[in-house]
Amino acid sequence: MNERLASRAERLDAYLAEQDAEAVWFARPNSFAWLLGGDNVVDRDSDIGVAAAGYDGDEFHVVTDNIEATRLLHEEVPHEDVQIHQYQWYEGSLASAVATVSPTPAAADFDVPGFSEVDAGTLRQPLSEDDIESYRALSRDVADAVERVCRELHPDDTEHEVASGLRVTLHAMGIETPVALVGGARRAQKYRHYTPTKERLGDYALVSVTAQRDGLYASCTRTVAFDAPEWLEERHEKTMRVEVNALAATQRVAAEGGTAADVFDTIRDTYDEVGAPDEWLNHHQGGAAGFAGREWFARPDADDEVRVPMGYAYNPTIEGAKSEDTVLVTENDAEVLTTTGSWPTRTVTDETGTFELERHKILHIDSE
């Protein structure tokens, strides 16, 4: 059994013992990828993939139909360590095939009659060493693609054109882009989710993506200014401060065994301190990231456990400004993953003066 599967087996053995279950199954694409490292997606509009991956305490299994079995075996799963079970595409369904193959009692992350539900997000946390190396590679590629597109922007570009450039550039690197937001000067001030339109960028632009490869998700935002309003710099500085305090709180709360609500308390307090007390009401603040764009969100009542090592993508906004990157938080360190080293940054320190991080500044481009 390879090292990746061995680490998954250890985590799932504990889960099966705790739940007094015989098997656990995953058909949602991010959890399938987490377990086996492969892709079970054909239709991007479907919440459930074309195959389910399972573990019964001894072996790993994949259930799929006869259309997909050979391709998955050759290209998507470690065939030497996985038992493949196939059913005829016209006979039954993925759920019924899993129910036929699996010992019981069992759990699944999709609807299988008689099976209990598994909280896959909890099992995916924290990240393993193998996950972290893949995450670093993905995040560097995402930041590189976003920054290359951003450096070529012009005030007359439309939001749609920029979003298209982002998707094409990322796709060429084997990266899917479930979220590509581009807001020109007018719409970035009006909306927190600036889904792209045919409107031109104008004086400045916010460019935000959440991108996925091999089940892992990385998020980042970059701000490009041509003739930006005077207030943009100040608001951007404030969002960076909120973000850094959130990350510092994450490390502290993880050590104390606290919850996402404890991190949120720091976020809300920082908005107060920077003179924008109500801005958190206008947009979610992000949270843990890894095998989902957000494994959980920092909210006033969130009881999610804060764990390390884990990716975190906080995205504070103050009208017209935003700061966001994917950061690996460990017990003693914080590493910005979505970075290339070629974008202007500055060091931002948290309220205690003990935690500091390089944050991405506004890139000013001469549009003449």
Side-chain angles (χ1 to χ4, degrees), residues 286-351:
F291 284 90
R294 300 293 187 274
E295 294 283 10
W296 51 252
F297 290 91
R299 303 187 315 272
D301 60 348
D303 61 0
D304 307 88
E305 182 181 358
V306 180
R307 308 179 72 178
V308 295
M310 194 64 199
Y312 288 90
Y314 296 106
N315 44 252
T317 62
I318 294 175
E319 185 180 3
K322 181 179 182 180
S323 183
E324 176 187 29
D325 273 299
T326 302
V327 179
L328 175 68
V329 178
T330 64
E331 184 178 350
N332 300 307
D333 196 15
E335 174 189 349
V336 180
L337 298 180
T338 45
T339 189
T340 63
S342 61
W343 193 272
T345 65
R346 86 168 186 85
T347 303
V348 178
T349 305
D350 82 318
E351 60 187 356

Short mmCIF file of all heavy atoms in Angstrom, two decimals, residues 286-351:
data_model
loop_
_atom_site.label_atom_id
_atom_site.label_comp_id
_atom_site.label_asym_id
_atom_site.label_seq_id
_atom_site.Cartn_x
_atom_site.Cartn_y
_atom_site.Cartn_z
N GLY A 286 -14.63 33.80 4.93
CA GLY A 286 -13.76 32.69 4.57
C GLY A 286 -13.52 31.77 5.75
O GLY A 286 -14.21 31.83 6.76
N GLY A 287 -12.52 30.92 5.63
CA GLY A 287 -12.23 29.96 6.69
C GLY A 287 -11.26 28.90 6.24
O GLY A 287 -10.35 29.17 5.45
N ALA A 288 -11.46 27.68 6.72
CA ALA A 288 -10.55 26.58 6.41
C ALA A 288 -10.70 26.17 4.95
O ALA A 288 -11.80 26.17 4.39
CB ALA A 288 -10.82 25.40 7.32
N ALA A 289 -9.59 25.81 4.32
CA ALA A 289 -9.58 25.40 2.91
C ALA A 289 -8.70 24.16 2.75
O ALA A 289 -7.79 23.91 3.54
CB ALA A 289 -9.07 26.53 2.02
N GLY A 290 -8.99 23.40 1.72
CA GLY A 290 -8.21 22.20 1.44
C GLY A 290 -8.89 21.44 0.32
O GLY A 290 -8.83 21.83 -0.84
N PHE A 291 -9.60 20.36 0.68
CA PHE A 291 -10.33 19.60 -0.32
C PHE A 291 -11.75 20.14 -0.50
O PHE A 291 -12.68 19.41 -0.85
CB PHE A 291 -10.34 18.11 0.05
CG PHE A 291 -9.02 17.44 -0.23
CD1 PHE A 291 -8.03 17.42 0.74
CD2 PHE A 291 -8.75 16.88 -1.47
CE1 PHE A 291 -6.80 16.83 0.49
CE2 PHE A 291 -7.52 16.29 -1.73
CZ PHE A 291 -6.54 16.25 -0.75
N ALA A 292 -11.91 21.41 -0.26
CA ALA A 292 -13.12 22.18 -0.57
C ALA A 292 -12.69 23.63 -0.61
O ALA A 292 -11.68 24.01 0.01
CB ALA A 292 -14.19 21.97 0.51
N GLY A 293 -13.45 24.44 -1.38
CA GLY A 293 -13.11 25.86 -1.41
C GLY A 293 -13.05 26.42 0.00
O GLY A 293 -12.17 27.21 0.34
N ARG A 294 -14.02 26.02 0.83
CA ARG A 294 -14.00 26.29 2.26
C ARG A 294 -14.55 25.07 2.97
O ARG A 294 -15.69 24.67 2.75
CB ARG A 294 -14.85 27.53 2.62
CG ARG A 294 -14.42 28.84 1.96
CD ARG A 294 -13.09 29.34 2.43
NE ARG A 294 -12.79 30.67 1.91
CZ ARG A 294 -12.22 30.91 0.72
NH1 ARG A 294 -11.88 29.88 -0.07
NH2 ARG A 294 -12.00 32.15 0.33
N GLU A 295 -13.74 24.47 3.84
CA GLU A 295 -14.21 23.35 4.64
C GLU A 295 -15.19 23.85 5.70
O GLU A 295 -16.11 23.12 6.08
CB GLU A 295 -13.04 22.62 5.30
CG GLU A 295 -12.10 21.91 4.34
CD GLU A 295 -12.67 20.59 3.82
OE1 GLU A 295 -13.85 20.31 4.05
OE2 GLU A 295 -11.91 19.85 3.16
N TRP A 296 -14.98 25.04 6.20
CA TRP A 296 -15.93 25.71 7.08
C TRP A 296 -15.71 27.21 6.97
O TRP A 296 -14.66 27.66 6.50
CB TRP A 296 -15.85 25.25 8.53
CG TRP A 296 -14.49 25.25 9.20
CD1 TRP A 296 -13.73 24.16 9.52
CD2 TRP A 296 -13.75 26.39 9.70
NE1 TRP A 296 -12.57 24.54 10.15
CE2 TRP A 296 -12.55 25.90 10.28
CE3 TRP A 296 -13.98 27.77 9.69
CZ2 TRP A 296 -11.59 26.75 10.85
CZ3 TRP A 296 -13.01 28.61 10.25
CH2 TRP A 296 -11.85 28.09 10.82
N PHE A 297 -16.72 27.96 7.37
CA PHE A 297 -16.66 29.42 7.35
C PHE A 297 -16.62 29.94 8.78
O PHE A 297 -17.28 29.40 9.68
CB PHE A 297 -17.89 30.01 6.64
CG PHE A 297 -17.91 29.77 5.16
CD1 PHE A 297 -18.54 28.65 4.64
CD2 PHE A 297 -17.31 30.66 4.29
CE1 PHE A 297 -18.57 28.42 3.27
CE2 PHE A 297 -17.33 30.45 2.92
CZ PHE A 297 -17.96 29.32 2.41
N ALA A 298 -15.85 30.99 8.99
CA ALA A 298 -15.83 31.67 10.29
C ALA A 298 -17.12 32.46 10.44
O ALA A 298 -17.38 33.39 9.69
CB ALA A 298 -14.62 32.59 10.38
N ARG A 299 -17.94 32.06 11.41
CA ARG A 299 -19.24 32.70 11.66
C ARG A 299 -19.40 32.88 13.16
O ARG A 299 -18.73 32.21 13.95
CB ARG A 299 -20.39 31.84 11.14
CG ARG A 299 -20.34 31.48 9.69
CD ARG A 299 -21.63 30.77 9.27
NE ARG A 299 -22.04 29.75 10.23
CZ ARG A 299 -21.63 28.48 10.21
NH1 ARG A 299 -20.77 28.08 9.28
NH2 ARG A 299 -22.05 27.63 11.11
N PRO A 300 -20.32 33.74 13.58
CA PRO A 300 -20.49 33.98 15.02
C PRO A 300 -20.83 32.72 15.81
O PRO A 300 -20.44 32.59 16.97
CB PRO A 300 -21.64 34.99 15.08
CG PRO A 300 -21.61 35.69 13.76
CD PRO A 300 -21.17 34.66 12.77
N ASP A 301 -21.54 31.77 15.18
CA ASP A 301 -21.98 30.58 15.90
C ASP A 301 -21.29 29.31 15.43
O ASP A 301 -21.74 28.20 15.75
CB ASP A 301 -23.49 30.42 15.75
CG ASP A 301 -23.91 30.27 14.28
OD1 ASP A 301 -23.06 30.52 13.39
OD2 ASP A 301 -25.08 29.93 14.03
N ALA A 302 -20.19 29.42 14.69
CA ALA A 302 -19.54 28.24 14.11
C ALA A 302 -18.85 27.42 15.19
O ALA A 302 -18.02 27.93 15.94
CB ALA A 302 -18.53 28.67 13.05
N ASP A 303 -19.17 26.12 15.25
CA ASP A 303 -18.55 25.26 16.25
C ASP A 303 -17.52 24.31 15.65
O ASP A 303 -17.10 23.34 16.29
CB ASP A 303 -19.62 24.45 16.99
CG ASP A 303 -20.43 23.55 16.06
OD1 ASP A 303 -20.17 23.55 14.84
OD2 ASP A 303 -21.34 22.86 16.57
N ASP A 304 -17.09 24.58 14.42
CA ASP A 304 -16.09 23.74 13.76
C ASP A 304 -14.77 23.79 14.52
O ASP A 304 -14.32 24.85 14.97
CB ASP A 304 -15.86 24.22 12.33
CG ASP A 304 -17.15 24.32 11.54
OD1 ASP A 304 -17.77 25.41 11.60
OD2 ASP A 304 -17.53 23.35 10.90
N GLU A 305 -14.12 22.64 14.63
CA GLU A 305 -12.82 22.57 15.28
C GLU A 305 -11.75 23.22 14.38
O GLU A 305 -11.72 22.98 13.17
CB GLU A 305 -12.45 21.12 15.56
CG GLU A 305 -11.12 20.94 16.28
CD GLU A 305 -10.77 19.49 16.53
OE1 GLU A 305 -11.59 18.61 16.17
OE2 GLU A 305 -9.67 19.22 17.06
N VAL A 306 -10.88 24.02 14.97
CA VAL A 306 -9.79 24.66 14.23
C VAL A 306 -8.57 23.77 14.35
O VAL A 306 -8.07 23.54 15.46
CB VAL A 306 -9.50 26.07 14.78
CG1 VAL A 306 -8.36 26.72 14.00
CG2 VAL A 306 -10.76 26.93 14.69
N ARG A 307 -8.07 23.29 13.20
CA ARG A 307 -7.01 22.30 13.23
C ARG A 307 -5.82 22.74 12.38
O ARG A 307 -5.98 23.51 11.42
CB ARG A 307 -7.54 20.95 12.71
CG ARG A 307 -8.81 20.51 13.44
CD ARG A 307 -9.34 19.20 12.92
NE ARG A 307 -8.50 18.08 13.34
CZ ARG A 307 -8.78 16.81 13.05
NH1 ARG A 307 -9.84 16.51 12.32
NH2 ARG A 307 -7.98 15.85 13.46
N VAL A 308 -4.65 22.24 12.72
CA VAL A 308 -3.43 22.48 11.95
C VAL A 308 -2.68 21.15 11.85
O VAL A 308 -2.82 20.29 12.72
CB VAL A 308 -2.55 23.56 12.62
CG1 VAL A 308 -3.23 24.91 12.61
CG2 VAL A 308 -2.16 23.17 14.04
N PRO A 309 -1.87 20.97 10.78
CA PRO A 309 -1.67 21.87 9.64
C PRO A 309 -2.88 21.85 8.71
O PRO A 309 -3.43 20.81 8.41
CB PRO A 309 -0.43 21.29 8.96
CG PRO A 309 -0.50 19.81 9.28
CD PRO A 309 -1.08 19.72 10.66
N MET A 310 -3.25 23.04 8.27
CA MET A 310 -4.45 23.18 7.44
C MET A 310 -4.33 24.43 6.60
O MET A 310 -3.68 25.41 7.00
CB MET A 310 -5.68 23.27 8.35
CG MET A 310 -7.00 23.09 7.63
SD MET A 310 -7.15 21.41 6.93
CE MET A 310 -8.45 21.69 5.73
N GLY A 311 -4.96 24.41 5.43
CA GLY A 311 -5.04 25.61 4.62
C GLY A 311 -6.15 26.50 5.13
O GLY A 311 -7.20 26.03 5.59
N TYR A 312 -5.92 27.81 5.07
CA TYR A 312 -6.94 28.79 5.46
C TYR A 312 -6.98 29.89 4.42
O TYR A 312 -5.94 30.37 3.97
CB TYR A 312 -6.65 29.36 6.85
CG TYR A 312 -6.92 28.35 7.93
CD1 TYR A 312 -5.91 27.49 8.38
CD2 TYR A 312 -8.20 28.18 8.46
CE1 TYR A 312 -6.17 26.52 9.33
CE2 TYR A 312 -8.47 27.21 9.42
CZ TYR A 312 -7.45 26.38 9.85
OH TYR A 312 -7.72 25.42 10.78
N ALA A 313 -8.19 30.24 4.02
CA ALA A 313 -8.38 31.31 3.04
C ALA A 313 -9.44 32.26 3.60
O ALA A 313 -10.64 32.03 3.43
CB ALA A 313 -8.81 30.75 1.69
N TYR A 314 -8.98 33.29 4.29
CA TYR A 314 -9.87 34.35 4.76
C TYR A 314 -9.95 35.42 3.69
O TYR A 314 -8.98 35.64 2.95
CB TYR A 314 -9.38 34.92 6.09
CG TYR A 314 -9.40 33.91 7.21
CD1 TYR A 314 -8.23 33.34 7.70
CD2 TYR A 314 -10.61 33.50 7.76
CE1 TYR A 314 -8.26 32.40 8.72
CE2 TYR A 314 -10.65 32.56 8.78
CZ TYR A 314 -9.47 32.01 9.25
OH TYR A 314 -9.52 31.06 10.25
N ASN A 315 -11.11 36.07 3.58
CA ASN A 315 -11.30 37.02 2.48
C ASN A 315 -12.05 38.27 2.95
O ASN A 315 -13.13 38.57 2.45
CB ASN A 315 -12.05 36.36 1.33
CG ASN A 315 -13.23 35.52 1.78
OD1 ASN A 315 -13.18 34.29 1.74
ND2 ASN A 315 -14.29 36.17 2.24
N PRO A 316 -11.49 39.01 3.91
CA PRO A 316 -12.16 40.22 4.39
C PRO A 316 -12.33 41.25 3.29
O PRO A 316 -11.48 41.40 2.41
CB PRO A 316 -11.23 40.72 5.49
CG PRO A 316 -9.89 40.14 5.15
CD PRO A 316 -10.17 38.81 4.54
N THR A 317 -13.46 41.96 3.35
CA THR A 317 -13.73 43.02 2.38
C THR A 317 -14.18 44.29 3.11
O THR A 317 -14.82 44.22 4.16
CB THR A 317 -14.86 42.61 1.40
OG1 THR A 317 -16.06 42.38 2.14
CG2 THR A 317 -14.49 41.37 0.62
N ILE A 318 -13.79 45.40 2.55
CA ILE A 318 -14.32 46.71 2.94
C ILE A 318 -14.67 47.40 1.64
O ILE A 318 -13.86 47.43 0.72
CB ILE A 318 -13.29 47.52 3.75
CG1 ILE A 318 -13.01 46.84 5.09
CG2 ILE A 318 -13.78 48.96 3.98
CD1 ILE A 318 -11.93 47.49 5.92
N GLU A 319 -15.84 47.89 1.53
CA GLU A 319 -16.43 48.38 0.28
C GLU A 319 -15.40 48.77 -0.78
O GLU A 319 -14.68 49.75 -0.65
CB GLU A 319 -17.33 49.58 0.56
CG GLU A 319 -18.08 50.06 -0.66
CD GLU A 319 -18.96 51.25 -0.36
OE1 GLU A 319 -18.95 51.74 0.79
OE2 GLU A 319 -19.67 51.71 -1.27
N GLY A 320 -15.30 47.93 -1.82
CA GLY A 320 -14.40 48.19 -2.92
C GLY A 320 -13.01 47.64 -2.76
O GLY A 320 -12.18 47.79 -3.67
N ALA A 321 -12.71 46.98 -1.64
CA ALA A 321 -11.36 46.45 -1.39
C ALA A 321 -11.46 45.05 -0.79
O ALA A 321 -12.42 44.71 -0.09
CB ALA A 321 -10.59 47.36 -0.46
N LYS A 322 -10.45 44.23 -1.05
CA LYS A 322 -10.45 42.84 -0.57
C LYS A 322 -9.03 42.33 -0.48
O LYS A 322 -8.17 42.65 -1.31
CB LYS A 322 -11.25 41.97 -1.54
CG LYS A 322 -11.36 40.50 -1.16
CD LYS A 322 -12.21 39.77 -2.19
CE LYS A 322 -12.39 38.30 -1.84
NZ LYS A 322 -13.22 37.59 -2.84
N SER A 323 -8.76 41.49 0.52
CA SER A 323 -7.47 40.82 0.64
C SER A 323 -7.74 39.34 0.83
O SER A 323 -8.56 38.96 1.67
CB SER A 323 -6.68 41.37 1.84
OG SER A 323 -5.40 40.76 1.92
N GLU A 324 -7.04 38.49 0.06
CA GLU A 324 -7.30 37.04 0.14
C GLU A 324 -6.13 36.26 -0.44
O GLU A 324 -5.65 36.54 -1.53
CB GLU A 324 -8.57 36.70 -0.66
CG GLU A 324 -8.89 35.23 -0.73
CD GLU A 324 -10.05 34.94 -1.67
OE1 GLU A 324 -10.24 35.71 -2.64
OE2 GLU A 324 -10.76 33.95 -1.45
N ASP A 325 -5.70 35.27 0.30
CA ASP A 325 -4.75 34.28 -0.17
C ASP A 325 -5.01 32.98 0.56
O ASP A 325 -5.70 32.95 1.59
CB ASP A 325 -3.30 34.71 0.07
CG ASP A 325 -2.74 35.55 -1.06
OD1 ASP A 325 -2.68 35.04 -2.20
OD2 ASP A 325 -2.38 36.72 -0.82
N THR A 326 -4.46 31.89 0.04
CA THR A 326 -4.51 30.61 0.73
C THR A 326 -3.22 30.45 1.52
O THR A 326 -2.12 30.56 0.96
CB THR A 326 -4.68 29.46 -0.26
OG1 THR A 326 -5.88 29.69 -1.01
CG2 THR A 326 -4.78 28.13 0.46
N VAL A 327 -3.35 30.22 2.82
CA VAL A 327 -2.21 30.20 3.73
C VAL A 327 -2.20 28.88 4.49
O VAL A 327 -3.23 28.45 5.02
CB VAL A 327 -2.29 31.38 4.73
CG1 VAL A 327 -1.12 31.35 5.70
CG2 VAL A 327 -2.33 32.71 3.98
N LEU A 328 -1.05 28.24 4.52
CA LEU A 328 -0.87 27.04 5.32
C LEU A 328 -0.52 27.46 6.75
O LEU A 328 0.52 28.08 6.98
CB LEU A 328 0.24 26.16 4.75
CG LEU A 328 0.60 24.93 5.57
CD1 LEU A 328 -0.55 23.92 5.56
CD2 LEU A 328 1.89 24.29 5.06
N VAL A 329 -1.40 27.13 7.69
CA VAL A 329 -1.15 27.44 9.09
C VAL A 329 -0.75 26.16 9.80
O VAL A 329 -1.46 25.15 9.74
CB VAL A 329 -2.39 28.06 9.76
CG1 VAL A 329 -2.11 28.33 11.24
CG2 VAL A 329 -2.80 29.34 9.06
N THR A 330 0.41 26.20 10.45
CA THR A 330 0.87 25.07 11.24
C THR A 330 0.97 25.51 12.69
O THR A 330 0.63 26.64 13.04
CB THR A 330 2.24 24.58 10.74
OG1 THR A 330 3.22 25.61 10.93
CG2 THR A 330 2.19 24.21 9.26
N GLU A 331 1.45 24.63 13.54
CA GLU A 331 1.54 24.93 14.96
C GLU A 331 2.40 26.15 15.24
O GLU A 331 2.08 26.97 16.10
CB GLU A 331 2.08 23.72 15.71
CG GLU A 331 2.13 23.89 17.21
CD GLU A 331 2.61 22.64 17.92
OE1 GLU A 331 2.74 21.59 17.26
OE2 GLU A 331 2.90 22.73 19.14
N ASN A 332 3.48 26.30 14.45
CA ASN A 332 4.45 27.36 14.75
C ASN A 332 4.71 28.30 13.59
O ASN A 332 5.58 29.17 13.69
CB ASN A 332 5.79 26.75 15.20
CG ASN A 332 5.64 25.91 16.45
OD1 ASN A 332 5.10 26.38 17.45
ND2 ASN A 332 6.12 24.68 16.39
N ASP A 333 3.98 28.15 12.48
CA ASP A 333 4.32 28.94 11.30
C ASP A 333 3.07 29.21 10.48
O ASP A 333 2.01 28.62 10.69
CB ASP A 333 5.34 28.17 10.46
CG ASP A 333 6.05 29.05 9.44
OD1 ASP A 333 5.96 30.29 9.56
OD2 ASP A 333 6.68 28.50 8.52
N ALA A 334 3.20 30.13 9.55
CA ALA A 334 2.16 30.41 8.55
C ALA A 334 2.87 30.69 7.23
O ALA A 334 3.77 31.53 7.16
CB ALA A 334 1.30 31.59 8.96
N GLU A 335 2.47 29.98 6.19
CA GLU A 335 3.13 30.07 4.89
C GLU A 335 2.10 30.44 3.83
O GLU A 335 1.13 29.72 3.62
CB GLU A 335 3.76 28.71 4.56
CG GLU A 335 4.34 28.60 3.17
CD GLU A 335 4.76 27.18 2.82
OE1 GLU A 335 4.80 26.32 3.73
OE2 GLU A 335 5.04 26.93 1.63
N VAL A 336 2.30 31.58 3.18
CA VAL A 336 1.41 31.97 2.10
C VAL A 336 1.68 31.04 0.92
O VAL A 336 2.79 31.00 0.38
CB VAL A 336 1.63 33.44 1.68
CG1 VAL A 336 0.68 33.81 0.55
CG2 VAL A 336 1.42 34.37 2.87
N LEU A 337 0.67 30.28 0.52
CA LEU A 337 0.84 29.31 -0.56
C LEU A 337 0.62 29.93 -1.93
O LEU A 337 1.34 29.62 -2.88
CB LEU A 337 -0.13 28.14 -0.37
CG LEU A 337 0.05 27.31 0.91
CD1 LEU A 337 -0.99 26.19 0.96
CD2 LEU A 337 1.45 26.73 1.01
N THR A 338 -0.38 30.81 -2.05
CA THR A 338 -0.68 31.43 -3.35
C THR A 338 0.20 32.66 -3.54
O THR A 338 -0.25 33.80 -3.45
CB THR A 338 -2.17 31.81 -3.44
OG1 THR A 338 -2.56 32.44 -2.21
CG2 THR A 338 -3.04 30.59 -3.69
N THR A 339 1.47 32.40 -3.81
CA THR A 339 2.41 33.49 -4.01
C THR A 339 3.46 33.08 -5.02
O THR A 339 3.77 31.90 -5.17
CB THR A 339 3.08 33.89 -2.68
OG1 THR A 339 3.84 35.09 -2.86
CG2 THR A 339 3.97 32.79 -2.15
N THR A 340 3.99 34.07 -5.75
CA THR A 340 5.05 33.81 -6.73
C THR A 340 6.35 34.52 -6.36
O THR A 340 7.40 34.21 -6.93
CB THR A 340 4.62 34.29 -8.12
OG1 THR A 340 4.44 35.71 -8.10
CG2 THR A 340 3.33 33.61 -8.56
N GLY A 341 6.26 35.49 -5.48
CA GLY A 341 7.44 36.29 -5.14
C GLY A 341 7.68 37.44 -6.09
O GLY A 341 8.63 38.20 -5.91
N SER A 342 6.80 37.60 -7.09
CA SER A 342 7.02 38.66 -8.08
C SER A 342 5.96 39.76 -8.01
O SER A 342 5.99 40.69 -8.81
CB SER A 342 7.04 38.07 -9.49
OG SER A 342 5.82 37.44 -9.80
N TRP A 343 5.03 39.65 -7.06
CA TRP A 343 4.00 40.67 -6.87
C TRP A 343 4.41 41.54 -5.69
O TRP A 343 4.99 41.04 -4.72
CB TRP A 343 2.66 40.01 -6.59
CG TRP A 343 1.45 40.90 -6.67
CD1 TRP A 343 0.92 41.65 -5.67
CD2 TRP A 343 0.61 41.10 -7.82
NE1 TRP A 343 -0.20 42.32 -6.11
CE2 TRP A 343 -0.41 42.00 -7.43
CE3 TRP A 343 0.62 40.62 -9.12
CZ2 TRP A 343 -1.42 42.41 -8.31
CZ3 TRP A 343 -0.37 41.03 -9.98
CH2 TRP A 343 -1.38 41.92 -9.59
N PRO A 344 4.15 42.83 -5.72
CA PRO A 344 4.56 43.66 -4.58
C PRO A 344 3.86 43.24 -3.29
O PRO A 344 2.66 42.95 -3.29
CB PRO A 344 4.14 45.08 -5.00
CG PRO A 344 3.10 44.89 -6.06
CD PRO A 344 3.48 43.63 -6.77
N THR A 345 4.62 43.18 -2.21
CA THR A 345 4.07 42.79 -0.90
C THR A 345 4.59 43.73 0.17
O THR A 345 5.52 44.50 -0.05
CB THR A 345 4.48 41.36 -0.51
OG1 THR A 345 5.91 41.31 -0.33
CG2 THR A 345 4.06 40.35 -1.56
N ARG A 346 3.97 43.64 1.32
CA ARG A 346 4.53 44.28 2.50
C ARG A 346 4.21 43.43 3.72
O ARG A 346 3.25 42.66 3.74
CB ARG A 346 4.02 45.70 2.67
CG ARG A 346 2.70 45.88 3.39
CD ARG A 346 2.49 47.35 3.74
NE ARG A 346 1.31 47.58 4.55
CZ ARG A 346 1.29 47.47 5.88
NH1 ARG A 346 2.37 47.10 6.53
NH2 ARG A 346 0.18 47.73 6.56
N THR A 347 5.04 43.54 4.75
CA THR A 347 4.86 42.76 5.97
C THR A 347 3.77 43.40 6.83
O THR A 347 3.82 44.60 7.11
CB THR A 347 6.17 42.69 6.77
OG1 THR A 347 7.20 42.13 5.94
CG2 THR A 347 6.00 41.84 8.01
N VAL A 348 2.80 42.60 7.22
CA VAL A 348 1.73 43.05 8.10
C VAL A 348 1.82 42.24 9.39
O VAL A 348 1.94 41.02 9.36
CB VAL A 348 0.35 42.87 7.45
CG1 VAL A 348 -0.76 43.31 8.40
CG2 VAL A 348 0.27 43.65 6.13
N THR A 349 1.74 42.94 10.52
CA THR A 349 1.85 42.31 11.84
C THR A 349 0.50 42.31 12.53
O THR A 349 -0.27 43.27 12.41
CB THR A 349 2.88 43.06 12.69
OG1 THR A 349 4.12 43.12 11.98
CG2 THR A 349 3.11 42.36 14.02
N ASP A 350 0.22 41.26 13.28
CA ASP A 350 -1.06 41.18 13.98
C ASP A 350 -1.07 42.10 15.19
O ASP A 350 -0.07 42.73 15.54
CB ASP A 350 -1.38 39.74 14.38
CG ASP A 350 -0.68 39.31 15.65
OD1 ASP A 350 0.51 39.64 15.83
OD2 ASP A 350 -1.33 38.66 16.49
N GLU A 351 -2.21 42.15 15.88
CA GLU A 351 -2.41 43.09 16.99
C GLU A 351 -1.48 42.81 18.17
O GLU A 351 -1.19 43.71 18.95
CB GLU A 351 -3.86 43.02 17.45
CG GLU A 351 -4.29 41.65 17.93
CD GLU A 351 -5.76 41.56 18.24
OE1 GLU A 351 -6.46 42.59 18.14
OE2 GLU A 351 -6.23 40.46 18.57
#
